[in-house]
Amino acid sequence: MTELAVAVPEPIVGRSLWGNAWARLKRNRAAMLSLYYLAFIAVISVFGPMVVPHEYTTIYGDYVRTPPSLSAYPKPDMIQGALGDAIKRMRADIKEWHQDGNRVIVTITATKPIDDRNIRYLDRSDAFDDTRIENKSPDGREMTMSSAVKQQYFFFGTDNTGRDLLSRTLMAGRISLAIGLLAGVVAGVIGVIYGATAGFAGGRVDEVMMRIVDVLYSLPFIFFVIMLVVFFGRNFVLMFLAVGAVLWLDMARIVRGQALSIRRQEYVQAAEAMGVGQRGILLRHVIPNLLGPVVIYMTLLVPQVIILESFLSFLGLGVQEPMTSWGVLISVGAKNIGYANWLLLFPAFFLVSTLFALNFVGDGLRDALDPKDR
Amino acid sequence: MGTADMTAPETILSVKDLRVRFQTLDGTVEAVKGINIKVNAGETVAVVGESGSGKSQTMMAAMSLLSSNGEATGQVDYRGRNLLEMTKSELNKVRGRKISMIFQEPMTSLDPLYTIGNQLMEPIRRHRGLSAPAAREEALKLLRLVHIPDPERRMKSYPHEMSGGQRQRVMIAMALANDPDILIADEPTTALDVTIQAQILMLLAELQRKLGMAIVFITHDLGIVRRFADRVYVMRQGEVVEEGQAEALFANPQHAYTRMLLAAEPTGSKAPPPANSPVLLEGRNVEVVFKIGGGFLGGEPLMLRAVDKISVRLKRNQTIGIVGESGSGKSTLGRALLRLLPSDGVIRFGDRDISEADRQAMRPLRRELQLVFQDPFGSLSPRMTVGQVITEGLLVHEPSLTGKQRDQRAVEALREVGLDPNARNRYPHEFSGGQRQRIAIARAMILMPKVVVLDEPTSALDRSVQKQIVELLRKLQADHELSYLFISHDLAVVRAMADYIIVMKQGKIVEEGPTQEIFDNPREAYTQTLMNAAIDSTRFRISA
Amino acid sequence: MLRYVFRRLLTAIPTLFVIVTVAFFLIRVAPGGPFNQERGLSPEIRANLEAQFGLNDPLWLQYVHYLGNLLRGSFGPSYNLPDFTVTELFAKGLPISVQIGTSALVLALLLGSILGTIAALNQNKLADYSVIALATAGSTIPTFVTAPVIQLVFGLSWKLLPIGGWGDGALINKVGPVLTLALPQIAIVARLMRGSMIESLRSHHIRTARALGLSDWSVVVKHALRGAVLPIVSFTGPAAAALLTGSIIVETIFSIPGVGRYFVDAALNRDYTLVMGTVVVIALFTIVFNLIVDLLYAVVDPRVRYD
């Protein structure tokens, strides 16, 4: 064939719909900011608990319901109290105390000789550390000790058992986001497979499959979840399943509708007219065109799951102590609004701001993938 | 003509330096770029142009009906008052009273939630302050005026209970309810079947004679302009490129674009294949029945006989034109013959009986039996590159080809349909309608088929593009001895493409025969109506 | 029309049957029983109680008994609140939940429609953006956050409202719960209304009405609004069923003695009859409201015909 001699010019690369969508998304400032914010929340939730000096389970008996503060604890006025408590446990009295830089020097007296091991009472206090005996009277009834003031920061305050709220909030974020993502994916996958099967099979199969969905829909949805949680017990992993098992219904409907409408598209008929088999149509036509709606709906699904998880945790049906999630924290906060409103406000802010960000990203994606809506 | 009355005609509407801009996501788009149009009392003015010429937006701007992202500047003077500067209440004393408008979409232009009577009485009561019973009388009169049968009953009907043609009549009645000076008709017949089109046009002509209003006709259809208009403005890309008296303009077009438009009517004819040419595709008593409702628990199933015992014999190198209005079953017939729909009767391809062939058995034959669709926007998968689109069939029928070989074939196919092969890595949405239709044709041609069913392949395209596609299809036929089944409602295109014509109505063949014969000498009344509606160029009205 | 209603109610029976059956066996399969958790119950008393309520019968027999009672209109006694029958519990709690739910629904429909319409008429202007912001906030912030925040701000800081309690139905006690319950619904209605109104305003028949010089009032209220209200009508069915049967969150946080908490408490305590009663009541509400909405739909849209 002489035709082959004709040089084939390098083709121009066009911009796909995905490329267009990405460009549009990048122009959407609210969506991009939200995306960065979500990344930030994800990073501090995953790595934060490792960096924050307090374990989320550590109980600071001296710091119950401590209000949030940017400066370190103990505050100067708290030192006397903490000192008094510790010395009382030694069954001794304070003769004199003063602060010298970072250390507190205290002289105590007692009626009986003071055992050296008593200094552990000072170390046990959450306010002091590194206690040393500086001086001891010969009869052993008077002792001077010095102890470092343990500088502790509680930026978000502490909860009603004296646990650091910052590390708890971050840990809760880890759980809430993980459940949101995992259960979202579980629900998404179930929904996509179910919906695509129904939509693609069509006819009788579709009718029966959708009737099942209808019946599940008519079961009161929240109650269905509660029933599942009750049934499975309050198990963290099984909760994914419970939440995922309920939220796949919408996804299944959406995907089925889309699959049906894609099957009716002329480009699918054209492929059929060319003799392309079911597999080819599914792989090359149905799935790529389904992806857009699925991505859009996924961004709606994740916040739904987070809310549902928080809701269950709020009712005490979800994540169990000492493990925590935003819903658990908010529930504690709601019960303590009278005297420790930060317990409500910090976790609520994290939850709500995350939901907002997810919402904006979802809207942005919808506008980007389906621009005719605006 | 006009020579008896020498007084200068009174200009009632004059558009001066009108500009229309739209704010879109991709920036500002200027749809109308400073145009001047005037309309005299009682005359018929046509504004002609292809899609995107700004012809509709001009009149929407004049009526302050632009969508919210649009903005009009310039002047639109109605009897000396600028409509663009009027307050809303002043404007509402002109709209519907002095200037009225009817639209392209008869199915959606009436409010589906109110009865015809309610909607007809509304503008009458608003502009003339009549009591309800008096307005009702007026409305009945109007329905009679537009020849709606049984107007008393129709007053209580809802729009969805009427046909498209009837709805357009109601729309006209509403527009003329207050005896306006000007009726703006925006493609009023485009969405209707040809026979209905002719009726609506005749009605408009009749009403103009009776009522004497001026008509501004916005259209892409030069046939309508030729039959209807006194004066013509030709628009292109937001500008008026030529204007003048209709006859002069048709006889002696000045601007190249006008000449191109006039020449865009597909011409020529197709010679029939030699008598000994073998029959490639044959259908005998083909029948397609759809279940359209009922059944199961709902009682007797409702059946629609979309194709009713039709026989067709398509020879090599032949083009059979299948003509009919919407719902005549012509597309269904095409798909049934390709075994894309279950049907009864016998279908033979070459010497094989394929009536019972299943999906598997049909697969190897598919490459020889191809299909091109009407809508070049819907028939190309939006997420595949053009190269992937046109080589998809090769994956099925020549699976041994390497990627490089497929690419080479794509290049050849694109060249063959007159597209730049560089385009093969781009996506369908980056192309115009005409280019997309070429891509769709390339997709069919790459398989080197013997029979191609063309389902309204030109109907979604502008006239000038239609002509190019018609020429491309003819060239491909000549080069590869193709057989076409050309399905269309557009008789002008069918005449240029087909050597044999089948006229269908409600699933049945009304008439068939060689093209020349059918056009010269249609025997059936229905065919005659179709021909008259489409081809006839006698004028409806000669201005006084 | 009447035939249609009749047919719909008839087809509701199998649905109801499936729901009752699924719920019945689901909760029975769950581990535990109504008298397991109560400490201090001697085995003899427990056995006695179980025998008294027929819990030792085979499951299928209990199921048949339950269905039989249900057909006679009896939900049976509550296991955990032995002084009450389930019917009595609902007679006490349901009116309270219905009151709060109806108020929230009416508020949501009115305010939401008005806000949505204002937004649509001022598309891409300040009013529109404000409504969108409000709607986003309303539909994003969960009720278990709104409720304590309302308590904190209006109850504790400003002391305008009581922090909780029913107060024998005093108006001031209802403000917080109704507001909490209505807020997300207002957001949903406003969004729906805005969307459908914009679409309606863009539709061809609105263009016709404008071209005929009809007044703005007629264009917006007579032609655009009636069409735009259809999605709101569809929304109202499920929303009414959900709102009127009580909200767990709102009733818990504001200490309202409605039926919203029944299900959770009952499910946790394996109070089988109360769980089933709640399921049946909610299913009935759903069925009835969906039917009402469908009939309403036909009133607004003449294209919909039931015969």
Side-chain angles (χ1 to χ4, degrees):
Chain A
M1 293 255 293
T2 50
E3 297 279 319
L4 281 177
V6 181
V8 177
E10 264 314 292
I12 301 162
V13 177
R15 196 156 77 166
S16 72
L17 289 183
W18 292 110
N20 276 350
W22 177 236
R24 266 194 295 267
L25 186 65
K26 275 200 288 196
R27 276 202 303 253
N28 185 336
R29 226 174 315 148
M32 287 316 277
L33 258 161
S34 301
L35 213 52
Y36 295 137
Y37 181 74
L38 284 177
F40 169 72
I41 290 286
V43 166
I44 62 167
S45 294
V46 172
F47 299 106
M50 303 172 196
V51 179
V52 175
H54 311 287
E55 283 291 318
Y56 73 99
T57 45
T58 310
I59 294 173
Y60 295 98
D62 288 334
Y63 294 122
V64 170
R65 286 196 208 108
T66 309
S69 165
L70 286 177
S71 56
Y73 283 99
K75 305 268 154 132
D77 56 326
M78 294 169 76
I79 291 177
Q80 173 138 31
L83 210 52
D85 286 348
I87 302 302
K88 206 176 280 165
R89 285 195 197 101
M90 299 179 193
R91 293 160 207 254
D93 298 309
I94 300 175
K95 188 180 172 202
E96 182 270 322
W97 75 275
H98 65 272
Q99 196 167 354
D100 180 14
N102 197 22
R103 294 187 80 85
V104 172
I105 292 128
V106 60
T107 310
I108 56 170
T109 58
T111 48
K112 288 186 213 156
I114 302 167
D115 191 322
D116 283 0
R117 286 174 296 179
N118 267 330
I119 61 165
R120 67 173 186 264
Y121 286 112
L122 263 184
D123 275 347
R124 261 184 213 166
S125 160
D126 298 320
F128 306 110
D129 207 0
D130 185 29
T131 309
R132 289 194 295 263
I133 300 172
E134 299 286 333
N135 203 342
K136 204 170 173 186
S137 66
D139 62 358
R141 291 187 189 166
E142 191 173 304
M143 187 159 76
T144 304
M145 296 170 293
S146 81
S147 184
V149 176
K150 196 150 71 176
Q151 297 267 315
Q152 309 246 47
Y153 288 90
F154 297 108
F155 297 121
F156 285 13
T158 60
D159 70 4
N160 45 1
T161 52
R163 290 174 296 189
D164 176 39
L165 189 62
L166 174 60
S167 63
R168 285 187 74 69
T169 306
L170 296 181
M171 199 60 205
R174 214 191 248 189
I175 300 299
S176 289
L177 290 180
I179 293 186
L181 218 59
L182 285 175
V185 169
V186 169
V189 168
I190 299 176
V192 168
I193 292 175
Y194 193 93
T197 311
F200 202 67
R204 258 289 128 82
V205 178
D206 174 43
E207 222 168 272
V208 171
M209 287 178 83
M210 281 300 122
R211 185 41 59 87
I212 293 172
V213 169
D214 285 343
V215 170
L216 289 178
Y217 252 110
S218 60
L219 282 175
F221 140 88
I222 286 298
F223 294 178
F224 192 53
V225 184
I226 291 168
M227 200 101 95
L228 283 169
V229 173
V230 167
F231 179 61
F232 285 137
R234 294 168 203 179
N235 183 316
F236 174 76
V237 179
L238 288 174
M239 223 178 83
F240 288 137
L241 288 174
V243 172
V246 165
L247 289 180
W248 64 272
L249 294 174
D250 282 330
M251 182 63 107
R253 278 197 170 175
I254 288 170
V255 167
R256 176 215 172 231
Q258 288 289 328
L260 275 183
S261 94
I262 290 169
R263 285 209 56 183
R264 276 196 294 268
Q265 295 291 317
E266 285 195 339
Y267 56 79
V268 173
Q269 292 181 27
E272 277 172 354
M274 279 186 302
V276 178
Q278 297 276 8
R279 218 177 82 93
I281 287 174
L282 199 61
L283 285 179
R284 281 195 295 276
H285 297 283
V286 178
I287 289 176
N289 286 295
L290 257 175
L291 235 45
V294 168
V295 166
I296 290 171
Y297 192 67
M298 268 318 267
T299 60
L300 291 175
L301 200 57
V302 172
Q304 269 186 45
V305 175
I306 293 179
I307 290 180
L308 190 55
E309 182 276 321
S310 310
F311 169 79
L312 290 175
S313 296
F314 183 91
L315 293 177
L317 298 172
V319 174
Q320 299 294 308
E321 290 281 355
M323 192 39 87
T324 188
S325 82
W326 285 333
V328 174
L329 293 180
I330 289 170
S331 143
V332 173
K335 286 175 194 134
N336 290 289
I337 41 168
Y339 18 89
N341 59 27
W342 62 90
L343 288 181
L344 171 67
L345 296 179
F346 283 108
F349 173 80
F350 269 69
L351 173 67
V352 169
S353 63
T354 303
L355 292 176
F356 265 108
L358 280 166
N359 189 11
F360 287 131
V361 172
D363 278 356
L365 272 175
R366 190 168 26 234
D367 291 348
L369 288 168
D370 196 5
K372 61 182 170 290
D373 258 16
R374 280 263 148 130
Chain B
M1 284 209 35
T3 41
D5 188 348
M6 291 303 294
T7 52
E10 183 198 5
T11 298
I12 48 176
L13 186 74
S14 86
V15 173
K16 290 175 197 150
D17 194 31
L18 179 73
R19 283 166 197 281
V20 179
R21 290 185 192 84
F22 290 97
Q23 305 297 330
T24 70
L25 284 176
D26 307 316
T28 307
V29 176
E30 200 167 35
V32 178
K33 301 167 182 162
I35 64 162
N36 299 294
I37 286 176
K38 64 187 173 117
V39 179
N40 298 331
E43 74 169 343
T44 303
V45 174
V47 181
V48 191
E50 301 193 310
S51 53
S53 63
K55 57 190 192 299
S56 282
Q57 295 310 333
T58 303
M59 288 303 144
M60 292 287 181
M63 293 288 277
S64 293
L65 292 175
L66 290 176
S67 60
S68 59
N69 62 337
E71 182 208 8
T73 56
Q75 255 179 299
V76 180
D77 289 339
Y78 168 71
R79 294 189 189 273
R81 292 161 65 212
N82 187 356
L83 294 176
L84 296 184
E85 282 170 6
M86 281 187 181
T87 64
K88 223 165 186 175
S89 65
E90 286 174 326
L91 190 66
N92 279 342
K93 291 195 179 86
V94 178
R95 293 198 293 205
R97 163 103 230 204
K98 299 296 181 191
I99 309 177
S100 255
M101 190 158 181
I102 57 174
F103 303 95
Q104 179 173 355
E105 303 84 3
M107 304 315 268
T108 50
S109 289
L110 296 170
D111 193 330
L113 306 182
Y114 293 93
T115 59
I116 299 300
N118 186 324
Q119 295 186 61
L120 254 174
M121 284 158 64
E122 215 183 340
I124 300 174
R125 299 194 62 181
R126 160 139 186 104
H127 291 294
R128 286 194 259 162
L130 292 184
S131 68
R136 208 186 118 73
E137 278 311 304
E138 279 294 303
L140 278 170
K141 245 189 258 171
L142 283 164
L143 286 181
R144 282 188 206 106
L145 187 70
V146 296
H147 307 305
I148 294 275
D150 199 359
E152 296 277 352
R153 192 173 62 86
R154 278 306 181 194
M155 288 284 281
K156 292 191 214 93
S157 295
Y158 287 97
H160 70 276
E161 295 163 340
M162 307 178 91
S163 69
Q166 280 184 320
R167 291 191 212 185
Q168 198 60 297
R169 283 172 192 268
V170 171
M171 195 58 228
I172 292 170
M174 283 169 72
L176 298 180
N178 295 304
D179 197 7
D181 280 349
I182 303 169
L183 174 68
I184 300 169
D186 186 359
E187 304 261 16
T189 60
T190 308
L192 302 170
D193 277 329
V194 273
T195 50
I196 312 289
Q197 278 185 14
Q199 291 168 13
I200 295 290
L201 290 174
M202 274 188 273
L203 174 69
L204 281 173
E206 177 197 326
L207 292 173
Q208 191 176 30
R209 264 197 313 276
K210 276 188 195 158
L211 306 173
M213 73 282 183
I215 296 183
V216 179
F217 225 110
I218 302 167
T219 184
H220 69 283
D221 188 337
L222 286 168
I224 291 177
V225 177
R226 201 191 289 260
R227 300 171 78 180
F228 225 90
D230 300 322
R231 285 190 309 115
V232 181
Y233 293 87
V234 180
M235 283 189 72
R236 184 198 186 194
Q237 290 168 7
E239 286 170 72
V240 170
V241 296
E242 185 164 1
E243 60 177 280
Q245 294 296 321
E247 263 146 76
L249 189 127
F250 277 104
N252 187 17
Q254 298 300 306
H255 195 277
Y257 181 71
T258 316
R259 279 202 291 276
M260 197 277 285
L261 272 187
L262 285 173
E265 197 98 334
T267 49
S269 61
K270 157 104 176 46
N276 61 356
S277 187
V279 173
L280 274 182
L281 184 66
E282 181 180 11
R284 236 179 288 146
N285 292 327
V286 177
E287 200 171 24
V288 182
V289 181
F290 293 122
K291 203 183 108 185
I292 51 173
F296 199 48
L297 287 176
E300 276 292 287
L302 281 170
M303 297 304 210
L304 175 75
R305 211 165 286 275
V307 174
D308 195 355
K309 294 216 160 46
I310 286 191
S311 300
V312 188
R313 285 158 60 92
L314 181 64
K315 294 177 180 171
R316 182 195 291 161
N317 209 7
Q318 186 180 34
T319 301
I320 296 183
I322 299 182
V323 178
E325 297 181 298
S326 54
S328 61
K330 54 189 193 302
S331 289
T332 311
L333 173 65
R335 280 171 170 70
L337 288 173
L338 292 188
R339 300 277 309 124
L340 290 169
L341 282 176
S343 60
D344 290 328
V346 178
I347 299 168
R348 299 179 63 84
F349 175 59
D351 45 14
R352 278 190 64 176
D353 184 343
I354 57 171
S355 320
E356 303 294 329
D358 60 10
R359 190 184 277 274
Q360 202 63 38
M362 279 307 292
R363 186 160 301 156
L365 301 179
R366 288 267 170 243
R367 70 175 308 175
E368 322 213 298
L369 296 165
Q370 276 300 304
L371 179 62
V372 173
F373 293 87
Q374 166 173 5
D375 177 13
F377 291 84
S379 67
L380 305 177
S381 184
R383 308 221 176 258
M384 287 162 78
T385 64
V386 168
Q388 287 168 335
V389 167
I390 55 182
T391 55
E392 190 180 5
L394 294 178
L395 294 175
V396 180
H397 297 291
E398 293 181 45
S400 58
L401 288 186
T402 65
K404 224 185 171 92
Q405 285 168 316
R406 275 202 301 275
D407 196 47
Q408 177 65 32
R409 292 278 288 274
V411 169
E412 287 162 24
L414 284 170
R415 284 217 178 99
E416 178 146 39
V417 298
L419 284 177
D420 183 352
N422 287 356
R424 66 193 183 282
N425 274 13
R426 308 183 73 173
Y427 287 84
H429 64 91
E430 299 173 286
F431 294 88
S432 71
Q435 287 171 320
R436 284 166 179 238
Q437 200 57 292
R438 285 176 193 267
I439 295 169
I441 293 170
R443 170 173 60 186
M445 295 312 299
I446 203 168
L447 296 173
M448 301 175 186
K450 290 184 176 144
V451 173
V452 183
V453 172
L454 302 157
D455 189 357
E456 305 256 16
T458 60
S459 300
L461 307 173
D462 278 328
R463 267 286 182 215
S464 54
V465 182
Q466 273 184 12
K467 188 175 186 182
Q468 295 164 11
I469 295 294
V470 165
E471 270 155 21
L472 170 66
L473 289 170
R474 275 205 200 128
K475 176 183 145 285
L476 291 170
Q477 184 170 40
D479 290 354
H480 303 285
E481 290 213 308
L482 292 171
S483 307
Y484 287 150
L485 207 61
F486 191 90
I487 298 163
S488 181
H489 70 280
D490 187 338
L491 286 158
V493 179
V494 173
R495 173 149 72 174
M497 281 293 297
D499 53 72
Y500 191 88
I501 286 181
I502 293 175
V503 181
M504 279 183 74
K505 189 187 182 189
Q506 288 166 1
K508 291 197 169 70
I509 293 183
V510 176
E511 186 169 359
E512 60 181 309
T515 304
Q516 208 54 47
E517 221 167 274
I518 296 272
F519 272 85
D520 291 348
N521 194 10
R523 291 185 305 273
E524 300 294 324
Y526 179 69
T527 318
Q528 284 162 13
T529 327
L530 273 184
M531 298 294 157
N532 288 342
I535 309 298
D536 192 7
S537 62
T538 50
R539 281 179 66 81
F540 280 109
R541 168 183 176 270
I542 308 290
S543 288
Chain C
M1 184 79 163
L2 264 174
R3 263 187 57 194
Y4 174 77
V5 174
F6 186 68
R7 211 173 59 217
R8 275 286 293 270
L9 290 177
L10 218 61
T11 55
I13 291 172
T15 314
L16 207 56
F17 175 77
V18 169
I19 292 172
V20 167
T21 308
V22 170
F24 185 90
F25 287 104
L26 207 58
I27 183 120
R28 288 310 174 99
V29 170
F35 306 112
N36 293 7
Q37 285 124 324
E38 274 177 69
R39 276 160 294 163
L41 268 186
S42 68
E44 298 87 61
I45 296 177
R46 192 180 136 187
N48 261 343
L49 279 170
E50 284 181 350
Q52 185 196 331
F53 290 116
L55 291 171
N56 296 326
D57 294 341
L59 203 52
W60 65 268
L61 192 62
Q62 294 185 38
Y63 174 65
V64 171
H65 280 158
Y66 185 77
L67 279 187
N69 284 337
L70 204 58
L71 285 179
R72 283 194 294 276
S74 161
F75 289 124
S78 163
Y79 294 156
N80 282 86
L81 302 158
D83 297 340
F84 297 97
T85 65
V86 172
T87 314
E88 281 166 346
L89 286 174
F90 275 106
K92 223 157 49 98
L94 201 55
I96 294 173
S97 293
V98 167
Q99 254 189 62
I100 299 223
T102 314
S103 317
L105 185 65
V106 170
L107 185 68
L109 289 177
L110 280 179
L111 211 58
S113 305
I114 293 172
L115 287 176
T117 307
I118 291 174
L121 291 175
N122 299 286
Q123 206 192 343
N124 295 332
K125 292 187 192 140
L126 184 66
D128 185 23
Y129 292 133
S130 318
V131 172
I132 292 177
L134 189 81
T136 309
S139 54
T140 310
I141 305 175
T143 39
F144 54 82
V145 175
T146 346
V149 169
I150 285 180
Q151 284 182 323
L152 184 62
V153 175
F154 294 98
L156 285 164
S157 302
W158 298 349
K159 306 208 186 304
L160 291 173
L161 299 174
I163 294 173
W166 179 234
D168 280 329
L171 184 67
I172 193 93
N173 287 63
K174 292 181 197 158
V175 176
V178 168
L179 212 60
T180 310
L181 211 50
L183 216 59
Q185 310 297 328
I186 293 172
I188 296 172
V189 175
R191 267 192 179 182
L192 269 180
M193 192 68 193
R194 176 181 179 271
S196 70
M197 192 70 185
I198 286 174
E199 197 178 313
S200 186
L201 284 170
R202 271 190 208 145
S203 64
H204 291 144
H205 66 263
I206 293 300
R207 188 182 60 187
T208 305
R210 288 194 204 283
L212 290 173
L214 303 185
S215 64
D216 274 2
W217 175 260
S218 170
V219 170
V220 172
V221 176
K222 182 174 171 187
H223 293 286
L225 203 61
R226 185 163 165 191
V229 112
L230 288 172
I232 309 288
V233 173
S234 322
F235 156 84
T236 307
L243 287 177
L244 302 198
T245 49
S247 150
I248 304 169
I249 293 284
V250 170
E251 291 181 6
T252 308
I253 295 181
F254 287 101
S255 321
I256 305 281
V259 295
R261 270 224 72 113
Y262 284 2
F263 186 87
V264 185
D265 290 345
L268 289 177
N269 294 325
R270 305 293 189 278
D271 191 344
Y272 298 146
T273 42
L274 189 52
V275 172
M276 293 305 298
T278 318
V279 169
V280 171
V281 165
I282 287 170
L284 278 177
F285 268 72
T286 310
I287 288 164
V288 168
F289 277 106
N290 280 336
L291 177 61
I292 293 176
V293 156
D294 284 351
L295 296 180
L296 213 60
Y297 209 92
V299 171
V300 183
D301 189 343
R303 286 167 296 183
V304 180
R305 280 269 163 273
Y306 300 124
D307 29 48

